[in-house]
Amino acid sequence: MGKITIVDKLTKRASLRALRKLANDDNYQFIKKCHLFQDVGPEALVFLMENVIERRYRRHESVFQEGNPGICLFLVKSGRVEIFTEEEDTAGERTVLAVVGEGRVLGELSVLSLTYRSSSARAVDPGTTLLTLSSYDIDTLMDQHPHDGLKVLRGVTDTLAHNLIETNKRVRELQLELARLRRAANGATDE
Amino acid sequence: MNEDRLTRSMMFAVLLLFGLCLAGIMLWVCRQLLSPVITGLLIAYLIFPIVRGGARLGIPKVVIVLAIIASLVAGIFVTIYRFVPQVKSEIEILTKLSDTQKEPGDHEEFTSEAQSKLVTTVRLLHAQLKQYGLVSTDLQDTEIVNAISGWLANSTASLVRGATDLAVRSSQFTLVFLFVLVFSLLDGGKLYKTIIDLVPNSHLETGIFILNKTERILGNYLRGLAVETVLLFFVAVALLMMAVPHTKITVVMALMVALILALTNIVRIIGPIFGGFASGIIVAIQVTDLPSIAVVAAVAILVQVADNVLVLPLVMREQVDIHPVITMLGILSGGMLAGVLGMVLAIPVIAGFKVIYRVVAVEIKRYDANSAENFAAHDDLWTDGRHLTGGRVMNDTM
């Protein structure tokens, strides 16, 4: 940790004063509780509050579409968001990959790497509210408050690691299910 | 599904086109207001980091903005106090000089040093042209005096006529400019969010992308322009200083010519031509020496070569990739809409429109089933050359 200068002290004091004014702001309360930003300092919280964009979605309104470049990270403030693939299955229906509820994060990979959206997302409930931060904002956060930026990135990688573990579990279950079905199919053929 | 997406994308493109046309018409109707508004927004954009930095330290925004405005107003008053009496006396001298046309040949009254130097320069040029057989007639001093006096009389009359009009326009300009500046500085952060609020949910990411990219182009252009102007000034000074011992060009004159060449270069294509001529005329009036004029002309050309070969590719890679015809049309349109300022801003505005055009072109192609491949073909647009990861194997939304 470097030496704390008078500028740092003044900035921190001004940030704390700004956050006191935001004490009753529901977006501030939400961001403070969000696991990605739980440990960040007051300066970073002020920055996040200055840059976060709130959007309300109608039922079934598109949040993002598969194949588009991912620019934003979405935080579900209220309502639910459905994540699905555009490709339809044999029954002519889209495969729903997950339904994300309040307090969860969407599109977090766009913060780490420039990616194309691998699936689409749309609001499930009417009046679903999302808070948006662009990858440009996260880049600026990293530039201006590197310590806090690192904490946010740690949060993102934790989320990704959790998702990966869940996906591995699901893949293993499906592999076992597939093996069981194959055995059953082989048994039926032998008979 | 694809047809649905095509319809949506087409609607988006049509609406965007309609919006651009409407914006164009509004700009034309309000072009009188355009210069102070653009200047105000531009200055606010450049000094907003000071306001933001001060606010981070806990200084109220109003105090910072008031301090900035006070300094600006003080600057304007000092300028008026220092330069208006000088301009007034210059106009009086010009009016007196233009009266000599009424009495041709009266050389007693022909006292202006500048005017007599101009006559000498014209006489010298005429002699050179005659020597090379390009002209055959003789030119009398009286004819030169009459021609210069006539030109001066016309210029002075229009200058005096325009002075009152200029004063009124300047006051209007200053008022609108200060108004825009104050509110842009106070609400700088909110402006971005207000624009984003206008973007529909389905195109939020595209909107954020366009805004960030155009903002970056404008910022880079203005910073690049500042670096380019300073570099060209020093190049011109260095070249002219080499000529100082061998010609009649003085150090002060060299600095002045270098400043003119660097500043006029801000307006692409037209600026350097104007700067070259203006520098040539100034040197002609001041020293009446053909080698000095030739040196200034050579320096003006060398500065342009240095700018195009060395400086531009280094400081403005993104902006030079615009066709010269488009650049020329843009500068002329900018000049018609917002004067010199419109000419200066023509390039970043064209670059911004180029980004919007490319994004819209990609949006229209989105109905293609392989849209990721479609975007992949425009990787440089989205990532500035950085490689985009193939998202089909990476689920970023789980």
Side-chain angles (χ1 to χ4, degrees), chain B residues 78-311:
Chain B
V78 168
T79 313
I80 291 169
Y81 181 75
R82 281 187 67 113
F83 288 99
V84 164
Q86 210 172 332
V87 171
K88 204 179 154 193
S89 68
E90 289 290 329
I91 290 174
E92 277 169 11
I93 292 168
L94 283 170
T95 317
K96 211 180 278 177
L97 286 173
S98 61
D99 286 344
T100 54
Q101 195 194 20
K102 290 169 192 162
E103 298 165 61
D106 191 355
H107 289 197
E108 307 286 315
E109 284 187 29
F110 199 60
T111 51
S112 161
E113 199 186 338
Q115 203 163 347
S116 61
K117 276 181 176 172
L118 258 179
V119 173
T120 317
T121 311
V122 173
R123 202 192 297 135
L124 265 167
L125 274 171
H126 184 264
Q128 290 283 323
L129 292 173
K130 202 175 173 189
Q131 193 183 336
Y132 291 108
L134 293 169
V135 286
S136 54
T137 53
D138 286 327
L139 195 62
Q140 299 299 318
D141 277 5
T142 328
E143 290 174 57
I144 304 169
V145 171
N146 281 345
I148 291 172
S149 298
W151 176 70
L152 274 173
N154 286 334
S155 308
T156 313
S158 55
L159 199 68
V160 172
R161 256 198 320 274
T164 323
D165 190 34
L166 188 76
V168 175
R169 281 190 181 199
S170 302
S171 317
Q172 285 172 346
F173 181 97
T174 312
L175 275 177
V176 179
F177 161 72
L178 287 176
F179 185 78
V180 173
L181 182 68
V182 169
F183 285 97
S184 308
L185 287 175
L186 286 174
D187 298 329
K190 287 179 197 161
L191 196 66
Y192 176 84
K193 282 194 177 181
T194 310
I195 298 169
I196 285 293
D197 279 346
L198 299 173
V199 180
N201 283 339
S202 52
H203 293 95
L204 179 65
E205 290 189 291
T206 312
I208 289 174
F209 169 78
I210 290 176
L211 258 184
N212 275 282
K213 182 100 178 172
T214 42
E215 191 262 331
R216 211 169 54 214
I217 286 174
L218 182 68
N220 286 347
Y221 185 79
L222 292 175
R223 280 184 287 272
L225 206 59
V227 173
E228 186 194 6
T229 308
V230 172
L231 281 176
L232 289 188
F233 172 74
F234 284 116
V235 168
V237 167
L239 290 171
L240 287 164
M241 285 300 178
M242 283 195 279
V244 166
H246 313 291
T247 57
K248 287 184 181 174
I249 298 171
T250 61
V251 174
V252 177
M253 207 185 295
L255 290 171
M256 197 166 70
V257 167
L259 194 67
I260 290 170
L261 290 177
L263 286 179
T264 50
N265 192 63
I266 289 173
V267 177
R268 300 263 167 257
I269 304 175
I270 300 166
I273 299 169
F274 175 78
F277 274 110
S279 309
I281 289 171
I282 285 168
V283 173
I285 290 172
Q286 298 280 328
V287 294
T288 326
D289 179 39
L290 281 181
S292 302
I293 299 169
V295 164
V296 169
V299 169
I301 293 165
L302 277 174
V303 162
Q304 272 311 297
V305 173
D307 187 32
N308 287 301
V309 177
L310 298 169
V311 185

Side-chain angles (χ1 to χ4, degrees), chain A residues 11 14 50 52 55-56 61 64-65 67-68 71-72 83 109 113-114 116-119 136 144 163 167, chain B residues 8 56 58 193 196 199-201 205 208-209 212 366 375-376 379 388-389 391-392 394-398:
Chain A
T11 311
E50 280 171 357
V52 77
R55 307 290 289 211
R56 281 173 78 82
E61 190 176 358
F64 55 75
Q65 285 190 318
N68 287 9
I71 307 282
C72 293
I83 296 159
L109 205 59
S113 163
L114 292 154
Y116 300 111
R117 297 290 185 200
S118 56
S119 47
Y136 307 109
Q144 290 180 1
N163 288 342
T167 309
Chain B
R8 279 208 308 266
R56 279 207 189 113
K193 282 194 177 181
I196 285 293
V199 180
N201 283 339
E205 290 189 291
I208 289 174
F209 169 78
N212 275 282
R366 274 203 341 198
F375 281 113
D379 264 5
L388 214 66
T389 319
R392 285 189 188 282
M394 299 172 84
N395 192 343
D396 58 324
T397 56
M398 287 181 69

Side-chain angles (χ1 to χ4, degrees), chain B residues 353-370:
Chain B
F353 276 120
K354 205 172 146 188
V355 172
I356 296 169
Y357 162 74
R358 289 183 68 190
V359 171
V360 172
V362 177
E363 284 277 333
I364 291 168
K365 284 177 188 169
R366 274 203 341 198
Y367 64 89
D368 190 336
N370 300 315

Side-chain angles (χ1 to χ4, degrees), chain A residues 66 82-90 92-98 119-120:
Chain A
E66 187 179 330
E82 185 181 72
I83 296 159
F84 59 94
T85 56
E86 291 287 350
E87 285 158 18
E88 291 168 354
D89 62 16
T90 45
E93 286 180 3
R94 293 159 169 173
T95 310
V96 175
L97 301 171
S119 47
S120 300

